[in-house]
Amino acid sequence: MTVFNTTAKVPELARRAGRLAAGERIVPEEMPVAFTYHGSTHAVMMATPADLEDFAVGFSLTEGIVADAAEIELVEIVGEERGIDLQIRLADAQSEALVSRRRHMAGPVGCGLCGIESIEQAVRVTPSVRASTLTMTQDQVVEAVRLLNGQQPLHMETRAVHGAGFFVPGKGLIAVREDVGRHNALDKLTGAAARAGYRGASGAVVVTSRVSVEMVQKTAVVGSPFIVAISAPTVLAIRTAEEAGMTLIALVRGDEFEIFTGAERVVSSSGETARRAGNG
C-alpha cells in the first residue's frame, strides 16, 4: 500500500519576544482526493492523505451511495501526479443506483456543499434518529471531548486539522480520525467505525469543529442520535437536529457545555434528565 506524507516541514519567519527569527514549522499536507466509482469520478475533495480506505467507505455511506459498508466490494488507492484517486467498486445494484443520481462536485475544505446543483439538494431530507433510546451522562459528555482532545496526534503536531471521534458509552472513544476538512474527518470516522463493526446508533459523534448543517446531516445518516462539539452550531444545524430528533451539544469547555436540542437524552449520574433538572 502506498503511504503518503501527511505533513511537511517548511521554513518560516516567526516573531517571538518582539523579534523576527528564522525557523521551521510542521504543517499538514492537503491534496485532491477523487472518488471514482466504476471508472467515473463522482466527487473530488481537498483532504489530508491519510486513512483513505476509511474515507472511501465513510463518504460512500454519508452521501447515501451505499447503505452498508458491505455493499462496497473493493477500494483501490491510486496515487496520481498531483493527487489521489480512490477507485471504488460497488455491488451491481448500488452501481446502477449511483448512475441514476450521479452528480459532480469539487469541495474545498471549508465547504461541504460545493457543486450541489440545486437548493433542494442542499436542504435534503435528514433521516430521523428520534426513536433512539441511547443516553449519555453529563460526565460522559465531558469525558468524550477530553478523550478526543488527547487523541489527535496530527493536530498536536500541526495545530491545523480537525478531529472527529466516535464515543460509545461504557467503552469510551473507539475511533478517532483527523483531516484538514471537518466533513472529511467525519467521513473518515464513519468509515472507520463501520469497518470495525460499530453502528452509528450505538454511540455519539464528537467533533472539534463548529456544527454546520452538513455535520448534522452526516451524523443522522449514519444513525447516531448525538453530535457533541467543541465549537458552536449554526441556526440551520440546530433546526435540522431538532427536526431529526438528534441531541446537539456544543461549546464543550472543561466540564461546561451547552445543550441545544434533545436534552432529554442527557442524564445525571442519578438518572435525572437535563431537561428535568433545568426545570426544577
Side-chain angles (χ1 to χ4, degrees), residues 123-203:
V123 292
R124 61 183 176 174
V125 175
T126 303
S128 174
V129 293
R130 194 174 301 278
S132 173
T133 59
L134 183 70
T135 62
M136 290 178 67
T137 68
Q138 296 174 36
D139 288 343
Q140 285 172 333
V141 172
V142 172
E143 180 191 10
V145 172
R146 179 184 61 79
L147 291 173
L148 180 60
N149 285 338
Q151 296 185 37
Q152 299 175 71
L154 190 57
H155 178 69
M156 292 298 293
E157 191 175 28
T158 66
R159 300 294 179 181
V161 299
H162 293 290
F166 191 68
F167 181 87
V168 177
K171 295 184 178 180
L173 209 56
I174 62 97
V176 175
R177 292 295 182 267
E178 298 179 275
D179 198 277
V180 290
R182 65 187 188 279
H183 308 115
N184 300 341
L186 180 49
D187 282 342
K188 289 179 177 180
L189 174 71
T190 299
R195 295 175 67 203
Y198 286 91
R199 296 289 181 180
S202 67

Side-chain angles (χ1 to χ4, degrees), residues 266-280:
V266 183
V267 300
S268 69
S269 56
S270 64
E272 185 180 29
T273 67
R275 175 172 295 172
R276 191 175 303 150
N279 292 337

Side-chain angles (χ1 to χ4, degrees), residues 171-243:
K171 295 184 178 180
L173 209 56
I174 62 97
V176 175
R177 292 295 182 267
E178 298 179 275
D179 198 277
V180 290
R182 65 187 188 279
H183 308 115
N184 300 341
L186 180 49
D187 282 342
K188 289 179 177 180
L189 174 71
T190 299
R195 295 175 67 203
Y198 286 91
R199 296 289 181 180
S202 67
V205 169
V206 189
V207 298
T208 61
S209 65
R210 72 180 184 275
V211 185
S212 62
V213 64
E214 195 181 27
M215 300 294 278
V216 171
Q217 290 171 332
K218 285 178 178 286
T219 298
V221 166
V222 301
S224 175
F226 279 91
I227 185 165
V228 180
I230 293 174
S231 296
T234 66
V235 172
L236 185 55
I238 295 170
R239 188 180 303 135
T240 303
E242 182 69 47
E243 292 171 352

Side-chain angles (χ1 to χ4, degrees), residues 50-69:
D51 303 305
L52 294 169
E53 192 163 350
D54 291 337
F55 199 12
V57 173
F59 178 88
S60 299
L61 286 166
T62 64
E63 288 297 310
I65 294 168
V66 298
D68 191 285

Side-chain angles (χ1 to χ4, degrees), residues 1-80:
M1 178 183 295
T2 302
V3 177
F4 302 93
N5 292 329
T6 57
T7 63
K9 189 176 290 186
V10 300
E12 65 169 3
L13 281 176
R15 189 172 189 266
R16 301 285 187 268
R19 300 180 61 184
L20 284 174
E24 292 182 321
R25 170 165 285 277
I26 297 175
V27 297
E29 289 282 0
E30 177 185 13
M31 62 178 60
V33 176
F35 296 84
T36 300
Y37 297 88
H38 294 264
S40 182
T41 299
H42 177 79
V44 179
M45 303 298 290
M46 300 302 297
T48 302
D51 303 305
L52 294 169
E53 192 163 350
D54 291 337
F55 199 12
V57 173
F59 178 88
S60 299
L61 286 166
T62 64
E63 288 297 310
I65 294 168
V66 298
D68 191 285
E71 296 168 1
I72 298 174
E73 295 184 344
L74 177 70
V75 176
E76 185 176 1
I77 301 169
V78 179
E80 305 286 354

Side-chain angles (χ1 to χ4, degrees), residues 54-111:
D54 291 337
F55 199 12
V57 173
F59 178 88
S60 299
L61 286 166
T62 64
E63 288 297 310
I65 294 168
V66 298
D68 191 285
E71 296 168 1
I72 298 174
E73 295 184 344
L74 177 70
V75 176
E76 185 176 1
I77 301 169
V78 179
E80 305 286 354
E81 182 179 357
R82 300 184 64 181
I84 299 169
D85 189 9
L86 302 181
Q87 298 182 1
I88 304 163
R89 188 172 72 204
L90 307 177
D92 289 343
Q94 282 66 43
S95 180
E96 293 170 5
L98 178 61
V99 169
S100 69
R101 54 154 281 189
R102 185 172 305 281
R103 62 179 173 84
H104 294 268
M105 68 182 181
V109 298
C111 176

